[in-house]
Amino acid sequence: MTELLGYSGGLLVPGHHVLPPLTVALVAGVLLPRALARSHWAHRTPRLALTVWTVLGLSLITSVSLAALQVPLPTASSHRLSRFTEACIVSGGADCGPLLPNGPAGVDTRVWAALVAAAAVPAVFAVAFARELLSARRLRLRHAELLRLVGSRRPELRATVLEHDTPAVYCLPGRASQVVVSSGALEVLTGQQVTAVLEHERAHIAGRHHLLVAATGAFGVIFRGLPLARLAHTEVALLLEMAADDRALRRCSRDALATALYAVASGQAPHMAFAAGGPSAVLRMRRILTPQDTYSPTPRTVFVALSAAAALTPLVLACCSVPGITG
């Protein structure tokens, strides 16, 4: 096995097989996020924009993981390792034996190091993602306990009413999800406006938007400093609010939602919750009240960019698996 995946002696420098994943990392982590943040179409089609941000994040994780796998290995060994991994995956582990005549102990130490380095990237992200989820869940449970003491459940609203003069509406997502509306909001909002903001909050819960927020937080921890992590922190939060607005508009009028957002714009909410108002309320009101173009060529361009980004990872895998290429 050391002949299959090992080294023939001397110092071996990684070859061209490292360039594709590094290129993908550059494009997904630096170039495309800046272009996406400056685009105008994203606010017109927030769900599509959120999909693009998600694909960029997955592409960055995959490309960094592949780069970590390829850097310690020469080109020939990386090709053999790719064929070995492919054979094991396709056969479900049944055909790994012929490639491992001496067992796992026969694999070169540097190959194991490359495999560990590649697995570490998604593993670290998974740990950071889980920590973000657990941290937010603990805060939500504490706030939910407080609401049980000072709030009152209103079945007709399917929401919890909190006695407070400031108009505010927010939701606590997760398993024990609930929508919270202040008594001040019920005093200033009409029936249609109350329905509008409640539908907005239920859109956050139904869409499981807290998962994307947690993923964005995990990216900020792991890839701090990269434009993808920095820009996604603000852009994804805004796009989630716009996506919730669009879903609420299926059951309410634009005027009702816009005026309701204006009324609750100054309302406060816990940072782990989704508030109907907040700093983005003015921008969202302008978007709701501005007629949208029925057709725009930009989404077509975005679909092309999205398809290209999704195709980069298979191209990298194919490049690293083609036999007969030496570095």
Side-chain angles (χ1 to χ4, degrees):
M1 187 61 191
T2 46
E3 294 180 356
L4 178 65
L5 295 176
Y7 299 81
S8 59
L11 180 63
L12 295 173
V13 180
H16 68 275
H17 58 299
V18 184
L19 295 180
L22 291 180
T23 301
V24 175
L26 175 65
V27 172
V30 178
L31 301 180
L32 287 182
R34 290 174 174 170
L36 183 56
R38 291 193 300 265
S39 65
H40 298 289
W41 62 264
H43 291 178
R44 293 196 295 268
T45 54
R47 293 180 62 184
L48 177 60
L50 287 168
T51 301
V52 175
W53 282 110
T54 303
V55 170
L56 291 180
L58 295 175
S59 298
L60 180 61
I61 293 176
T62 303
S63 59
V64 172
S65 181
L66 286 171
L69 174 68
Q70 300 296 336
V71 165
L73 302 178
T75 306
S77 293
S78 69
H79 292 159
R80 298 185 187 107
L81 179 61
S82 297
R83 290 195 296 271
F84 161 72
T85 305
E86 181 182 358
C88 289
I89 293 176
V90 171
S91 65
D95 292 341
C96 296
L99 294 174
L100 292 170
N102 299 324
V107 181
D108 190 279
T109 303
R110 283 171 290 189
V111 174
W112 284 121
L115 291 172
V116 171
V121 178
V124 169
F125 173 77
V127 171
F129 179 62
R131 291 184 62 181
E132 291 286 331
L133 285 177
L134 291 175
S135 176
R137 184 172 183 271
R138 284 194 296 267
L139 294 175
R140 287 195 298 268
L141 289 176
R142 292 176 187 173
H143 192 75
E145 184 64 29
L146 178 63
L147 289 174
R148 278 192 288 269
L149 297 176
V150 300
S152 59
R153 184 69 181 172
R154 295 278 292 272
E156 71 276 12
L157 296 176
R158 290 187 295 156
T160 299
V161 176
L162 182 64
E163 291 297 328
H164 200 283
D165 294 336
T166 302
V169 181
Y170 61 91
C171 72
L172 299 177
R175 291 185 178 180
S177 60
Q178 61 178 312
V179 179
V180 182
V181 55
S182 70
S183 58
L186 294 179
E187 292 177 0
V188 300
L189 297 179
T190 65
Q192 291 182 343
Q193 292 169 347
V194 170
T195 300
V197 290
L198 292 181
E199 287 298 326
H200 171 93
E201 296 305 322
R202 292 186 186 115
H204 283 306
I205 296 173
R208 299 181 180 272
H209 291 173
H210 64 291
L211 298 180
L212 270 179
V213 172
T216 303
F219 262 100
V221 172
I222 301 174
F223 300 106
R224 184 175 302 152
L226 279 181
L228 176 59
R230 186 176 66 254
L231 295 172
H233 178 73
T234 55
E235 292 296 320
V236 168
L238 176 59
L239 291 171
L240 287 175
E241 293 297 336
M242 292 180 173
D245 289 338
D246 290 346
R247 182 157 179 167
L249 288 174
R250 299 176 185 175
R251 300 198 175 191
C252 66
S253 67
R254 293 182 177 273
D255 288 342
L257 181 57
T259 52
L261 291 180
Y262 176 80
V264 302
S266 61
Q268 300 294 320
H271 74 275
M272 74 290 187
F274 291 99
S280 65
V282 175
L283 176 62
R284 289 158 49 211
M285 281 188 287
R286 185 183 303 116
R287 172 182 178 269
I288 292 170
L289 296 175
T290 301
Q292 302 292 317
D293 295 333
T294 57
Y295 172 80
S296 175
T298 309
R300 182 188 304 173
T301 305
V302 177
F303 274 115
V304 173
L306 177 60
S307 302
L312 285 175
T313 298
L315 287 176
V316 171
L317 292 173
C319 175
C320 296
S321 302
V322 175
I325 302 179
T326 57

